[in-house]
Amino acid sequence: MNTSRYTQSLRVLLNRRVCATHWRHYSEVKSPNLSHFQLPNEPIRTRFAPSPTGYLHLGSLRTALFNYLAAKHTKGQFILRIEDTDETRTIPDAEERICQDLRWAGLEWDEGPDVGGAYGPYKQSQRSHIYREHADQLLKSGHAFRCFCSAGRLRLVAEQQSKLKLRTDYDGSCEGIDPMEADERAQTGERHVIRLRMTRAIDFRDDLVHFQSSRSLKKPPPTRISPTGGLAMESPILLKSDGKPTYHLANVVDDHFMKITHVFRGQEWLLSTPKHIYLFEAFGWRPPRYGHVGLLLGVDQQKLSKRKGDIDVLRFRDELDILPSTLTNYLALMGWSHSSRSDVMSLKEMTDNFSLKFKRGNAIATMEKLWYLQKQHVRAAIKEGGVTRDDLIRKIVKAAKVRFENPESQHPSLRHNESAEKYVELILSYDAPKFTDSTTFVNNLDYYFTNDVASQPSTLSGTANTVSTDRVLDILTKAYHLLRPISNAAWTIENIKKKVEDLVEEIANDDANEADEHQRKLGRATQDVHYSIRLAMTGGKPCGSTDVVMFILGDCVTLRRLEEKSIVL
């Protein structure tokens, strides 16, 4: 390789226009027609095209969600396409898991591998002949060429160009080979790939997210120089040496034949879009509209890594017990601006309100927002009923039985599945806002799930240090005798509350300090009564109304805890 030729050619950059394909996206946009950057009134077709080389993670689910919302808002179609051409990296159960997770999230597709459709097959491994035919078509039209460079040569070229601070990709050395000679070499079995021949720059200014930006992208690195001393255009591989297509070719061909009209994807694909548009033009096809949304970042401003496993959808579903409506609501807010009065929205509400009002720039994924939305969606699920509520109840029952393995240590209602689910449903009807995940819920409200409560001195508050043991015992004894006459059928919050109010009045009247006004004695008695009952019912853990706690626990458990007084003694 002639280093001096490369050095000499580098000077050309000072006098010739750099032929880059993707660096002039938006800087020339002055007065865009805003209606051009809105969803049309007619149905559109979008797609989600995951690769089974990994499982569904937050970023890919968000991409699927935006495509789903756009299609459904216009009464269009949402297509699932499996890009499974990378056999060496394919994970055996990934495709099944991806489909399960999408359906769990409520993103049902109109066309896809398992439901069929007019434009299938919907797995790229079953479309290889289509890609080969269209690669040959590009060869015949002169928009592609065969490259016979070995991996060793390409590595040396990259090293040399790196030393010259040039881009380190392909240098275009095979672009000048006569097509007939290239065909003959291919027919003899010489190993080669097919590359795209790009002869001009593509000025992409039609992005549905970034269209109003007046900023130019970063200045491009120096363009690579061909061995002949000219400026080489980028020449991405379309068909690999094993006959398998690259993403660029398969993506364009499939989008065309599946009649995709709109594509929403991550910002990392922004720099590839001019290549795809060039390919569409090379075939004589109309490209879809593209919208590139910002990345999902952690609080450390770093891109969320699927390698760590902490953004796998399965973790949020099975380990954190996040509801599907919570996760889709959360992900939609990571990059989309809406006109709704509340951030809390169901999938249908997001579909109805959807527009192309995306936030430019990256989104920070914070757990605080997720937990807030989770509480709101749990409350709605309990109120509405259905599969989501039933699944949530079963998870809590399971977590409670894991925490309290011995049936004797469980609340009596947990010992039979039917009564256990009804009991948990009752708890959630009053304490749904306290739910984040089932394990935490059981741990925080363990007094509902155990047969015997344990003292929680660190959580005692209020009058803990001013109420004597004798006074607590006296209050609990009186409470037991006042509540005992209530029958099981009459064990209601109203009846319990009336008896507790009677108890407060009795304790206030028994107070020996005649100097205090009745209202002051009544206030102290109220504090002491509820403190004492809370101590017996929860072990001193903070809780809501003690009347509600006793109602949920039931008459038998409540009376036993009042009578035993073990928590005090």
Side-chain angles (χ1 to χ4, degrees), residues 422-459:
K422 289 182 178 178
Y423 180 59
V424 169
E425 182 179 356
L426 177 63
I427 296 171
L428 284 171
S429 66
Y430 290 95
D431 286 313
K434 296 178 182 177
F435 183 90
T436 51
D437 64 90
S438 56
T439 300
T440 303
F441 188 73
V442 169
N443 289 339
N444 289 344
L445 279 67
D446 56 359
Y447 48 85
Y448 281 139
F449 303 100
T450 182
N451 205 24
D452 301 295
V453 293
S455 176
Q456 303 288 332
S458 62
T459 64

Side-chain angles (χ1 to χ4, degrees), residues 108 275 365 397:
E108 292 284 349
K275 304 171 196 173
V397 171

Side-chain angles (χ1 to χ4, degrees), residues 103-117:
R103 285 202 165 103
W104 169 81
L107 307 187
E108 292 284 349
W109 47 96
D110 301 290
E111 302 171 24
D114 57 341
V115 300

Side-chain angles (χ1 to χ4, degrees), residues 541-561:
K541 273 192 171 183
C543 63
S545 167
T546 52
D547 308 328
V548 172
V549 172
M550 289 189 286
F551 168 69
I552 292 174
L553 287 171
D555 56 342
C556 293
V557 172
T558 295
L559 293 173
R560 180 172 56 78
R561 291 184 183 181

Side-chain angles (χ1 to χ4, degrees), residues 298-315:
V299 292
D300 59 356
Q301 301 287 321
Q302 298 299 311
K303 183 178 178 181
L304 295 178
S305 173
K306 59 184 178 181
R307 291 183 176 85
K308 295 179 181 178
D310 56 355
I311 60 170
D312 192 325
V313 170
L314 186 67
R315 173 175 176 263

Side-chain angles (χ1 to χ4, degrees), residues 147-149 181-182 184-193:
C147 173
F148 300 90
C149 294
E181 177 189 343
E184 291 174 0
R185 292 171 64 177
Q187 289 172 6
T188 62
E190 187 172 349
R191 192 176 181 87
H192 68 284
V193 300

